[in-house]
Amino acid sequence: MGDETSGIILAGGRGERAKPLTLASSDYIRSKALIPFAGRPVVEWLVENCRDQGIRRFHVVAQGAENHSQIKLVLGRGERFGVEIHYSRARLDRYNVGSGAATLHNLEQWDLTGRALVMPVDSVFEFSLPLLTDAHDAADAVVTVASVARTAEEIAGKYGVMRTSRDGTVSGFLEKPDLDRIHRLFPETSLPGTGFTLPTNAGMYLVDCGRLRLAARAPDMIRLAQPRLDSGGDLLPWLVRRGLPVASAPIDRLGVLGSIPDYLATLGDVLGGRYPWMSRAMGAPVSTEPRYWIHESSLRTKDSVQGTTLAQKISEGSVVVGPAVRIGRNVEIGPGVKLRHTDIGDDVDIDEGARLSRTAIGDGAVVGPYARVTDSYVGPMAQVHSAHDTPVRLVHSAIGEAADLRPGTRLSGVSVYPRLRVPVVTGLPSGTHLTSSDDILRWI
């Protein structure tokens, strides 16, 4: 393989924090790899980004039936992307417990000896593989950790922090410390107005497969790997304690998709142009000021109220689009609609007077007249019935696939699971999860 770098995609977990986004129905889990993101499954963005930087061979480490079968249906063997894709064996899932264990076990299974870029499937990255490789080679590292600089407030309880030396090597790890601990260990972070940042673990690793495999055969590592081994919390600290070189190299940006708020924040960053590679891959926007993408079929689509095309309504000012908006194929948009920082899938209906901000709308969904949707996710085929006199209001909420909301419903911080028919409800406490008809009956 020479200097070729392989890609290892870790696709485990059941997406609990991202529900209902990761549910097609109450009992059918959608793989995190297939989360729809800016017009395509997130795993496609990951593969294409790596392919464009020279990676041509990928290994998908999956766990669970939904990950094995669903990812293979989307990626196949890689022909559509001009790459080669291999999959871990389902009968060996029991070894893929934790990102570290999954990585080590499959390095052995595939007998990998060169370099590999290990990535989670529920994140998007803006990174340079050549820069990671340069840092890796300069430090003669066994593992190089991709890092993102964050403030103490951003880190607290959410990201792992690395202690680094001037030469870029890592001397220690803190796994998701709280704010008090960060301030104690790094007093600079508590000084007001300094904007002091720390390197955080982005969950992407460039590894020397042969040396890592050799190190992992140590008896204490074999014991440590029982029954679970994570990369950030277990494997990397173990390497550092043994004096094996672990390096850190910065990347430009990491967007996590593990929860609805994270998903929407990352989507906003992508639509806002803060991921240059993804912006280029999405193609030239229809407008750069304000910035938005609209598929040509949607520009030609006439609404059922006035019979005018979206292009006409934008030109005359009866529909306001942007900034940071993407509209997919065959979308019908009525007069008086305002869209900001919003992603709209294919075959969606947005009826007259609706206003959407910092929101994602899945394929085939319907958003009724005069609805107000902010900081929310509306899943594929969901029906948000709304009317001029009884508009729907959604704030910080998530509506699952094919769910049905009645006019006058008002939700704040509420999750509605797929295929539920929700009568008019208001005043539900933030954090409520409507997972079944029994949950709904408790509140009506």
Side-chain angles (χ1 to χ4, degrees):
M1 292 174 57
D3 292 331
E4 180 184 347
T5 299
S6 298
I8 297 178
I9 298 174
L10 302 181
R14 297 172 61 86
E16 293 292 333
R17 291 193 306 123
K19 289 180 178 179
L21 198 155
T22 49
L23 290 174
S25 67
S26 60
D27 60 354
Y28 185 83
I29 296 172
R30 175 184 291 117
S31 169
K32 290 189 290 184
L34 270 63
I35 289 175
F37 188 82
R40 63 179 77 175
V42 64
V43 71
E44 289 191 10
W45 288 114
L46 192 61
V47 168
E48 291 193 10
N49 193 350
C50 293
R51 179 204 61 197
D52 287 356
Q53 299 195 59
I55 296 178
R56 291 292 184 270
R57 180 179 297 176
F58 292 85
H59 303 272
V60 176
V61 181
Q63 185 183 52
E66 66 278 356
N67 286 314
H68 282 283
S69 59
Q70 294 176 30
I71 294 173
K72 190 172 290 186
L73 282 174
V74 169
L75 296 182
R77 293 293 175 178
E79 298 91 338
R80 183 162 60 94
F81 305 94
V83 300
E84 179 184 325
I85 299 178
H86 304 269
Y87 296 89
S88 62
R89 294 188 177 278
R91 66 182 175 85
L92 301 176
D93 275 7
R94 64 186 183 277
Y95 298 112
N96 298 333
V97 284
S99 56
T103 299
L104 294 178
H105 175 70
N106 286 279
L107 292 182
E108 293 289 348
Q109 283 296 306
W110 285 309
D111 194 24
L112 299 182
T113 58
R115 279 196 303 262
L117 187 66
V118 183
M119 304 155 283
V121 79
D122 57 352
S123 300
V124 294
F125 302 90
E126 184 69 31
F127 75 104
S128 166
L129 181 58
L131 291 180
L132 281 177
T133 301
D134 288 346
H136 185 76
D137 292 343
D140 192 27
V142 174
V143 177
T144 295
V145 184
S147 67
V148 174
R150 299 186 187 276
T151 65
E153 289 72 20
E154 291 173 319
I155 292 166
K158 191 171 183 179
Y159 297 103
V161 177
M162 293 176 286
R163 294 177 178 271
T164 57
S165 306
R166 291 183 179 179
D167 63 358
T169 58
V170 178
S171 59
F173 293 87
L174 295 173
E175 185 67 8
K176 299 180 181 179
D178 61 27
L179 190 59
D180 287 343
R181 190 178 184 201
I182 296 172
H183 288 333
R184 287 198 308 272
L185 296 174
F186 305 96
E188 308 94 324
T189 62
S190 61
L191 299 176
T194 61
F196 190 86
T197 60
L198 297 169
T200 62
N201 184 347
M204 172 187 278
Y205 311 107
L206 189 62
V207 306
D208 181 327
C209 300
R211 292 166 67 197
L212 183 58
R213 288 171 61 187
L214 183 62
R217 291 168 188 161
D220 56 333
M221 168 49 67
I222 294 172
R223 289 193 297 271
L224 183 64
Q226 304 294 328
R228 181 182 178 88
L229 187 77
D230 290 315
S231 293
D234 303 310
L235 177 59
L236 294 177
W238 180 85
L239 292 171
V240 169
R241 288 195 302 270
R242 288 181 65 91
L244 294 167
V246 175
S248 170
I251 62 173
D252 291 332
R253 193 170 287 272
L254 157 71
V256 295
L257 311 176
S259 68
I260 298 292
D262 287 342
Y263 175 91
L264 293 173
T266 300
L267 184 59
D269 284 340
V270 167
L271 297 177
R274 288 180 281 277
Y275 286 78
W277 178 84
M278 292 188 73
S279 293
R280 293 191 297 272
M282 289 169 67
V286 172
S287 169
T288 56
E289 190 58 46
R291 179 188 183 91
Y292 58 77
W293 292 262
I294 304 177
H295 192 271
E296 59 182 14
S297 63
S298 294
L299 287 170
R300 298 193 303 266
T301 299
K302 296 179 180 181
D303 71 81
S304 55
V305 175
Q306 294 181 336
T308 56
T309 67
L310 176 56
Q312 289 174 297
K313 289 191 283 289
I314 292 174
S315 177
E316 69 189 18
S318 66
V319 166
V320 178
V321 179
V325 170
R326 189 196 71 89
I327 299 174
R329 295 173 173 80
N330 303 310
V331 174
E332 180 181 323
I333 294 182
V337 169
K338 293 185 178 181
L339 305 171
R340 300 175 65 251
H341 305 282
T342 289
D343 185 81
I344 297 175
D346 297 341
D347 306 305
V348 170
D349 290 320
I350 308 292
D351 291 336
E352 62 178 314
R355 297 189 179 185
L356 281 61
S357 179
R358 299 182 300 277
T359 286
I361 308 293
D363 292 352
V366 175
V367 178
Y370 301 96
R372 300 291 186 264
V373 185
T374 305
D375 294 301
S376 294
Y377 167 82
V378 177
M381 303 302 293
Q383 300 271 329
V384 180
H385 300 283
S386 186
H388 186 275
D389 295 331
T390 52
V392 169
R393 299 283 193 269
L394 302 178
V395 180
H396 297 292
S397 293
I399 310 303
E401 183 167 327
D404 187 294
L405 304 186
R406 308 315 297 168
T409 294
R410 299 191 176 193
L411 302 177
S412 179
V414 173
S415 292
V416 177
Y417 275 38
R419 306 182 191 279
L420 289 181
R421 182 182 174 90
V422 181
V424 180
V425 290
T426 61
L428 296 184
S430 180
T432 298
H433 295 265
L434 300 179
T435 64
S436 67
S437 56
D438 289 341
D439 287 337
I440 295 172
L441 290 173
R442 294 190 189 103
W443 296 103
I444 61 174

PDB file of all heavy atoms in Angstrom, residues 206-235:
ATOM      1  N   LEU A 206      -5.474   9.657  13.140  1.00  0.00           N
ATOM      2  CA  LEU A 206      -4.599   9.071  12.133  1.00  0.00           C
ATOM      3  C   LEU A 206      -3.691   8.097  12.862  1.00  0.00           C
ATOM      4  O   LEU A 206      -2.965   8.499  13.793  1.00  0.00           O
ATOM      5  CB  LEU A 206      -3.786  10.158  11.434  1.00  0.00           C
ATOM      6  CG  LEU A 206      -2.979   9.715  10.213  1.00  0.00           C
ATOM      7  CD1 LEU A 206      -3.883   9.178   9.114  1.00  0.00           C
ATOM      8  CD2 LEU A 206      -2.127  10.869   9.691  1.00  0.00           C
ATOM      9  N   VAL A 207      -3.725   6.833  12.486  1.00  0.00           N
ATOM     10  CA  VAL A 207      -3.015   5.809  13.257  1.00  0.00           C
ATOM     11  C   VAL A 207      -2.007   5.072  12.386  1.00  0.00           C
ATOM     12  O   VAL A 207      -2.214   4.871  11.185  1.00  0.00           O
ATOM     13  CB  VAL A 207      -3.997   4.796  13.900  1.00  0.00           C
ATOM     14  CG1 VAL A 207      -5.041   5.508  14.734  1.00  0.00           C
ATOM     15  CG2 VAL A 207      -4.673   3.920  12.859  1.00  0.00           C
ATOM     16  N   ASP A 208      -0.916   4.689  13.024  1.00  0.00           N
ATOM     17  CA  ASP A 208       0.062   3.767  12.437  1.00  0.00           C
ATOM     18  C   ASP A 208      -0.420   2.366  12.802  1.00  0.00           C
ATOM     19  O   ASP A 208      -0.233   1.905  13.935  1.00  0.00           O
ATOM     20  CB  ASP A 208       1.443   4.059  13.011  1.00  0.00           C
ATOM     21  CG  ASP A 208       2.533   3.168  12.441  1.00  0.00           C
ATOM     22  OD1 ASP A 208       2.247   1.995  12.131  1.00  0.00           O
ATOM     23  OD2 ASP A 208       3.678   3.632  12.318  1.00  0.00           O
ATOM     24  N   CYS A 209      -1.057   1.708  11.850  1.00  0.00           N
ATOM     25  CA  CYS A 209      -1.755   0.452  12.158  1.00  0.00           C
ATOM     26  C   CYS A 209      -0.814  -0.622  12.707  1.00  0.00           C
ATOM     27  O   CYS A 209      -1.131  -1.296  13.696  1.00  0.00           O
ATOM     28  CB  CYS A 209      -2.459  -0.073  10.913  1.00  0.00           C
ATOM     29  SG  CYS A 209      -3.693   1.041  10.232  1.00  0.00           S
ATOM     30  N   GLY A 210       0.345  -0.781  12.076  1.00  0.00           N
ATOM     31  CA  GLY A 210       1.256  -1.831  12.504  1.00  0.00           C
ATOM     32  C   GLY A 210       1.761  -1.615  13.920  1.00  0.00           C
ATOM     33  O   GLY A 210       1.756  -2.540  14.742  1.00  0.00           O
ATOM     34  N   ARG A 211       2.207  -0.403  14.230  1.00  0.00           N
ATOM     35  CA  ARG A 211       2.733  -0.126  15.579  1.00  0.00           C
ATOM     36  C   ARG A 211       1.631  -0.167  16.635  1.00  0.00           C
ATOM     37  O   ARG A 211       1.857  -0.624  17.764  1.00  0.00           O
ATOM     38  CB  ARG A 211       3.434   1.229  15.599  1.00  0.00           C
ATOM     39  CG  ARG A 211       4.728   1.230  14.780  1.00  0.00           C
ATOM     40  CD  ARG A 211       5.214   2.644  14.526  1.00  0.00           C
ATOM     41  NE  ARG A 211       5.629   3.298  15.758  1.00  0.00           N
ATOM     42  CZ  ARG A 211       5.780   4.624  15.865  1.00  0.00           C
ATOM     43  NH1 ARG A 211       5.503   5.416  14.835  1.00  0.00           N
ATOM     44  NH2 ARG A 211       6.192   5.159  16.999  1.00  0.00           N
ATOM     45  N   LEU A 212       0.443   0.294  16.283  1.00  0.00           N
ATOM     46  CA  LEU A 212      -0.657   0.246  17.246  1.00  0.00           C
ATOM     47  C   LEU A 212      -1.063  -1.195  17.530  1.00  0.00           C
ATOM     48  O   LEU A 212      -1.317  -1.569  18.686  1.00  0.00           O
ATOM     49  CB  LEU A 212      -1.856   1.041  16.719  1.00  0.00           C
ATOM     50  CG  LEU A 212      -3.065   1.138  17.655  1.00  0.00           C
ATOM     51  CD1 LEU A 212      -2.688   1.768  18.988  1.00  0.00           C
ATOM     52  CD2 LEU A 212      -4.192   1.936  16.991  1.00  0.00           C
ATOM     53  N   ARG A 213      -1.106  -2.022  16.523  1.00  0.00           N
ATOM     54  CA  ARG A 213      -1.426  -3.432  16.729  1.00  0.00           C
ATOM     55  C   ARG A 213      -0.403  -4.099  17.634  1.00  0.00           C
ATOM     56  O   ARG A 213      -0.760  -4.871  18.541  1.00  0.00           O
ATOM     57  CB  ARG A 213      -1.482  -4.159  15.386  1.00  0.00           C
ATOM     58  CG  ARG A 213      -2.693  -3.826  14.546  1.00  0.00           C
ATOM     59  CD  ARG A 213      -2.572  -4.406  13.143  1.00  0.00           C
ATOM     60  NE  ARG A 213      -2.458  -5.862  13.150  1.00  0.00           N
ATOM     61  CZ  ARG A 213      -2.211  -6.585  12.063  1.00  0.00           C
ATOM     62  NH1 ARG A 213      -2.035  -5.985  10.888  1.00  0.00           N
ATOM     63  NH2 ARG A 213      -2.151  -7.895  12.141  1.00  0.00           N
ATOM     64  N   LEU A 214       0.864  -3.797  17.416  1.00  0.00           N
ATOM     65  CA  LEU A 214       1.921  -4.392  18.227  1.00  0.00           C
ATOM     66  C   LEU A 214       1.803  -3.954  19.684  1.00  0.00           C
ATOM     67  O   LEU A 214       1.889  -4.771  20.610  1.00  0.00           O
ATOM     68  CB  LEU A 214       3.294  -3.994  17.668  1.00  0.00           C
ATOM     69  CG  LEU A 214       4.512  -4.596  18.358  1.00  0.00           C
ATOM     70  CD1 LEU A 214       4.495  -6.116  18.244  1.00  0.00           C
ATOM     71  CD2 LEU A 214       5.799  -4.028  17.758  1.00  0.00           C
ATOM     72  N   ALA A 215       1.560  -2.644  19.891  1.00  0.00           N
ATOM     73  CA  ALA A 215       1.428  -2.130  21.264  1.00  0.00           C
ATOM     74  C   ALA A 215       0.236  -2.759  21.968  1.00  0.00           C
ATOM     75  O   ALA A 215       0.293  -3.076  23.171  1.00  0.00           O
ATOM     76  CB  ALA A 215       1.278  -0.612  21.232  1.00  0.00           C
ATOM     77  N   ALA A 216      -0.870  -2.964  21.239  1.00  0.00           N
ATOM     78  CA  ALA A 216      -2.101  -3.457  21.853  1.00  0.00           C
ATOM     79  C   ALA A 216      -2.028  -4.916  22.265  1.00  0.00           C
ATOM     80  O   ALA A 216      -2.933  -5.410  22.939  1.00  0.00           O
ATOM     81  CB  ALA A 216      -3.266  -3.248  20.892  1.00  0.00           C
ATOM     82  N   ARG A 217      -0.953  -5.616  21.897  1.00  0.00           N
ATOM     83  CA  ARG A 217      -0.816  -7.016  22.302  1.00  0.00           C
ATOM     84  C   ARG A 217      -0.233  -7.154  23.709  1.00  0.00           C
ATOM     85  O   ARG A 217      -0.081  -8.275  24.214  1.00  0.00           O
ATOM     86  CB  ARG A 217       0.056  -7.757  21.297  1.00  0.00           C
ATOM     87  CG  ARG A 217      -0.630  -7.922  19.940  1.00  0.00           C
ATOM     88  CD  ARG A 217       0.299  -8.384  18.860  1.00  0.00           C
ATOM     89  NE  ARG A 217      -0.353  -8.356  17.542  1.00  0.00           N
ATOM     90  CZ  ARG A 217       0.284  -8.362  16.388  1.00  0.00           C
ATOM     91  NH1 ARG A 217       1.619  -8.400  16.374  1.00  0.00           N
ATOM     92  NH2 ARG A 217      -0.373  -8.323  15.251  1.00  0.00           N
ATOM     93  N   ALA A 218       0.086  -6.029  24.347  1.00  0.00           N
ATOM     94  CA  ALA A 218       0.593  -6.070  25.717  1.00  0.00           C
ATOM     95  C   ALA A 218      -0.475  -6.652  26.641  1.00  0.00           C
ATOM     96  O   ALA A 218      -1.660  -6.347  26.498  1.00  0.00           O
ATOM     97  CB  ALA A 218       0.986  -4.669  26.173  1.00  0.00           C
ATOM     98  N   PRO A 219      -0.074  -7.484  27.610  1.00  0.00           N
ATOM     99  CA  PRO A 219      -1.058  -8.131  28.488  1.00  0.00           C
ATOM    100  C   PRO A 219      -1.965  -7.137  29.219  1.00  0.00           C
ATOM    101  O   PRO A 219      -3.169  -7.396  29.371  1.00  0.00           O
ATOM    102  CB  PRO A 219      -0.187  -8.918  29.472  1.00  0.00           C
ATOM    103  CG  PRO A 219       1.074  -9.197  28.702  1.00  0.00           C
ATOM    104  CD  PRO A 219       1.303  -7.994  27.857  1.00  0.00           C
ATOM    105  N   ASP A 220      -1.407  -5.988  29.683  1.00  0.00           N
ATOM    106  CA  ASP A 220      -2.263  -5.064  30.421  1.00  0.00           C
ATOM    107  C   ASP A 220      -3.298  -4.403  29.505  1.00  0.00           C
ATOM    108  O   ASP A 220      -4.393  -4.061  29.945  1.00  0.00           O
ATOM    109  CB  ASP A 220      -1.443  -4.015  31.169  1.00  0.00           C
ATOM    110  CG  ASP A 220      -0.504  -3.239  30.266  1.00  0.00           C
ATOM    111  OD1 ASP A 220      -0.088  -3.779  29.225  1.00  0.00           O
ATOM    112  OD2 ASP A 220      -0.170  -2.087  30.606  1.00  0.00           O
ATOM    113  N   MET A 221      -2.977  -4.218  28.223  1.00  0.00           N
ATOM    114  CA  MET A 221      -3.976  -3.691  27.297  1.00  0.00           C
ATOM    115  C   MET A 221      -5.069  -4.721  27.042  1.00  0.00           C
ATOM    116  O   MET A 221      -6.252  -4.384  26.966  1.00  0.00           O
ATOM    117  CB  MET A 221      -3.322  -3.272  25.982  1.00  0.00           C
ATOM    118  CG  MET A 221      -4.313  -2.976  24.841  1.00  0.00           C
ATOM    119  SD  MET A 221      -5.677  -1.859  25.275  1.00  0.00           S
ATOM    120  CE  MET A 221      -4.811  -0.340  25.557  1.00  0.00           C
ATOM    121  N   ILE A 222      -4.691  -5.971  26.916  1.00  0.00           N
ATOM    122  CA  ILE A 222      -5.686  -7.022  26.701  1.00  0.00           C
ATOM    123  C   ILE A 222      -6.656  -7.068  27.879  1.00  0.00           C
ATOM    124  O   ILE A 222      -7.871  -7.198  27.711  1.00  0.00           O
ATOM    125  CB  ILE A 222      -4.996  -8.381  26.490  1.00  0.00           C
ATOM    126  CG1 ILE A 222      -4.183  -8.356  25.184  1.00  0.00           C
ATOM    127  CG2 ILE A 222      -6.017  -9.511  26.478  1.00  0.00           C
ATOM    128  CD1 ILE A 222      -3.309  -9.566  24.969  1.00  0.00           C
ATOM    129  N   ARG A 223      -6.129  -6.901  29.096  1.00  0.00           N
ATOM    130  CA  ARG A 223      -7.003  -6.878  30.278  1.00  0.00           C
ATOM    131  C   ARG A 223      -7.877  -5.631  30.278  1.00  0.00           C
ATOM    132  O   ARG A 223      -9.059  -5.683  30.605  1.00  0.00           O
ATOM    133  CB  ARG A 223      -6.165  -6.933  31.552  1.00  0.00           C
ATOM    134  CG  ARG A 223      -5.513  -8.285  31.812  1.00  0.00           C
ATOM    135  CD  ARG A 223      -4.973  -8.363  33.233  1.00  0.00           C
ATOM    136  NE  ARG A 223      -3.919  -7.364  33.463  1.00  0.00           N
ATOM    137  CZ  ARG A 223      -2.631  -7.579  33.231  1.00  0.00           C
ATOM    138  NH1 ARG A 223      -2.221  -8.760  32.760  1.00  0.00           N
ATOM    139  NH2 ARG A 223      -1.742  -6.631  33.480  1.00  0.00           N
ATOM    140  N   LEU A 224      -7.285  -4.487  29.911  1.00  0.00           N
ATOM    141  CA  LEU A 224      -8.023  -3.233  29.907  1.00  0.00           C
ATOM    142  C   LEU A 224      -9.187  -3.270  28.923  1.00  0.00           C
ATOM    143  O   LEU A 224     -10.233  -2.655  29.142  1.00  0.00           O
ATOM    144  CB  LEU A 224      -7.075  -2.078  29.552  1.00  0.00           C
ATOM    145  CG  LEU A 224      -7.653  -0.656  29.569  1.00  0.00           C
ATOM    146  CD1 LEU A 224      -8.103  -0.275  30.986  1.00  0.00           C
ATOM    147  CD2 LEU A 224      -6.613   0.346  29.064  1.00  0.00           C
ATOM    148  N   ALA A 225      -9.015  -3.986  27.830  1.00  0.00           N
ATOM    149  CA  ALA A 225     -10.039  -4.034  26.786  1.00  0.00           C
ATOM    150  C   ALA A 225     -11.237  -4.883  27.162  1.00  0.00           C
ATOM    151  O   ALA A 225     -12.187  -4.987  26.390  1.00  0.00           O
ATOM    152  CB  ALA A 225      -9.424  -4.561  25.492  1.00  0.00           C
ATOM    153  N   GLN A 226     -11.229  -5.499  28.344  1.00  0.00           N
ATOM    154  CA  GLN A 226     -12.363  -6.302  28.796  1.00  0.00           C
ATOM    155  C   GLN A 226     -13.182  -5.490  29.802  1.00  0.00           C
ATOM    156  O   GLN A 226     -12.645  -5.058  30.831  1.00  0.00           O
ATOM    157  CB  GLN A 226     -11.861  -7.588  29.470  1.00  0.00           C
ATOM    158  CG  GLN A 226     -10.953  -8.420  28.611  1.00  0.00           C
ATOM    159  CD  GLN A 226     -11.655  -9.008  27.401  1.00  0.00           C
ATOM    160  OE1 GLN A 226     -12.845  -9.303  27.477  1.00  0.00           O
ATOM    161  NE2 GLN A 226     -10.929  -9.187  26.317  1.00  0.00           N
ATOM    162  N   PRO A 227     -14.473  -5.249  29.610  1.00  0.00           N
ATOM    163  CA  PRO A 227     -15.238  -5.678  28.444  1.00  0.00           C
ATOM    164  C   PRO A 227     -15.395  -4.570  27.396  1.00  0.00           C
ATOM    165  O   PRO A 227     -16.002  -4.796  26.366  1.00  0.00           O
ATOM    166  CB  PRO A 227     -16.593  -5.996  29.069  1.00  0.00           C
ATOM    167  CG  PRO A 227     -16.725  -4.968  30.155  1.00  0.00           C
ATOM    168  CD  PRO A 227     -15.338  -4.732  30.683  1.00  0.00           C
ATOM    169  N   ARG A 228     -14.877  -3.357  27.655  1.00  0.00           N
ATOM    170  CA  ARG A 228     -15.123  -2.233  26.751  1.00  0.00           C
ATOM    171  C   ARG A 228     -13.882  -1.350  26.720  1.00  0.00           C
ATOM    172  O   ARG A 228     -13.206  -1.173  27.737  1.00  0.00           O
ATOM    173  CB  ARG A 228     -16.333  -1.415  27.225  1.00  0.00           C
ATOM    174  CG  ARG A 228     -16.680  -0.227  26.335  1.00  0.00           C
ATOM    175  CD  ARG A 228     -17.856   0.557  26.883  1.00  0.00           C
ATOM    176  NE  ARG A 228     -18.136   1.703  26.035  1.00  0.00           N
ATOM    177  CZ  ARG A 228     -18.933   1.674  24.975  1.00  0.00           C
ATOM    178  NH1 ARG A 228     -19.529   0.545  24.635  1.00  0.00           N
ATOM    179  NH2 ARG A 228     -19.141   2.750  24.241  1.00  0.00           N
ATOM    180  N   LEU A 229     -13.594  -0.776  25.551  1.00  0.00           N
ATOM    181  CA  LEU A 229     -12.423   0.080  25.416  1.00  0.00           C
ATOM    182  C   LEU A 229     -12.771   1.254  24.510  1.00  0.00           C
ATOM    183  O   LEU A 229     -13.061   1.068  23.322  1.00  0.00           O
ATOM    184  CB  LEU A 229     -11.253  -0.703  24.813  1.00  0.00           C
ATOM    185  CG  LEU A 229      -9.907   0.032  24.776  1.00  0.00           C
ATOM    186  CD1 LEU A 229      -9.271   0.038  26.157  1.00  0.00           C
ATOM    187  CD2 LEU A 229      -8.985  -0.619  23.760  1.00  0.00           C
ATOM    188  N   ASP A 230     -12.755   2.459  25.061  1.00  0.00           N
ATOM    189  CA  ASP A 230     -12.977   3.666  24.267  1.00  0.00           C
ATOM    190  C   ASP A 230     -11.640   4.269  23.861  1.00  0.00           C
ATOM    191  O   ASP A 230     -10.632   4.111  24.564  1.00  0.00           O
ATOM    192  CB  ASP A 230     -13.792   4.686  25.056  1.00  0.00           C
ATOM    193  CG  ASP A 230     -15.234   4.244  25.245  1.00  0.00           C
ATOM    194  OD1 ASP A 230     -15.836   3.782  24.257  1.00  0.00           O
ATOM    195  OD2 ASP A 230     -15.751   4.362  26.368  1.00  0.00           O
ATOM    196  N   SER A 231     -11.636   4.984  22.767  1.00  0.00           N
ATOM    197  CA  SER A 231     -10.384   5.594  22.293  1.00  0.00           C
ATOM    198  C   SER A 231      -9.954   6.730  23.200  1.00  0.00           C
ATOM    199  O   SER A 231      -8.843   6.734  23.732  1.00  0.00           O
ATOM    200  CB  SER A 231     -10.560   6.090  20.854  1.00  0.00           C
ATOM    201  OG  SER A 231     -10.740   5.015  19.966  1.00  0.00           O
ATOM    202  N   GLY A 232     -10.820   7.727  23.386  1.00  0.00           N
ATOM    203  CA  GLY A 232     -10.425   8.907  24.154  1.00  0.00           C
ATOM    204  C   GLY A 232     -10.239   8.648  25.631  1.00  0.00           C
ATOM    205  O   GLY A 232      -9.331   9.204  26.249  1.00  0.00           O
ATOM    206  N   GLY A 233     -11.096   7.804  26.210  1.00  0.00           N
ATOM    207  CA  GLY A 233     -11.034   7.586  27.650  1.00  0.00           C
ATOM    208  C   GLY A 233     -10.099   6.494  28.096  1.00  0.00           C
ATOM    209  O   GLY A 233      -9.649   6.492  29.248  1.00  0.00           O
ATOM    210  N   ASP A 234      -9.766   5.540  27.202  1.00  0.00           N
ATOM    211  CA  ASP A 234      -8.983   4.375  27.607  1.00  0.00           C
ATOM    212  C   ASP A 234      -7.716   4.175  26.776  1.00  0.00           C
ATOM    213  O   ASP A 234      -6.607   4.166  27.316  1.00  0.00           O
ATOM    214  CB  ASP A 234      -9.853   3.104  27.504  1.00  0.00           C
ATOM    215  CG  ASP A 234     -11.106   3.189  28.337  1.00  0.00           C
ATOM    216  OD1 ASP A 234     -11.009   3.538  29.519  1.00  0.00           O
ATOM    217  OD2 ASP A 234     -12.189   2.897  27.800  1.00  0.00           O
ATOM    218  N   LEU A 235      -7.873   4.005  25.471  1.00  0.00           N
ATOM    219  CA  LEU A 235      -6.746   3.625  24.627  1.00  0.00           C
ATOM    220  C   LEU A 235      -5.668   4.705  24.566  1.00  0.00           C
ATOM    221  O   LEU A 235      -4.478   4.421  24.786  1.00  0.00           O
ATOM    222  CB  LEU A 235      -7.241   3.304  23.219  1.00  0.00           C
ATOM    223  CG  LEU A 235      -6.159   2.965  22.182  1.00  0.00           C
ATOM    224  CD1 LEU A 235      -5.330   1.763  22.623  1.00  0.00           C
ATOM    225  CD2 LEU A 235      -6.793   2.709  20.810  1.00  0.00           C
TER     226      LEU A 235
END
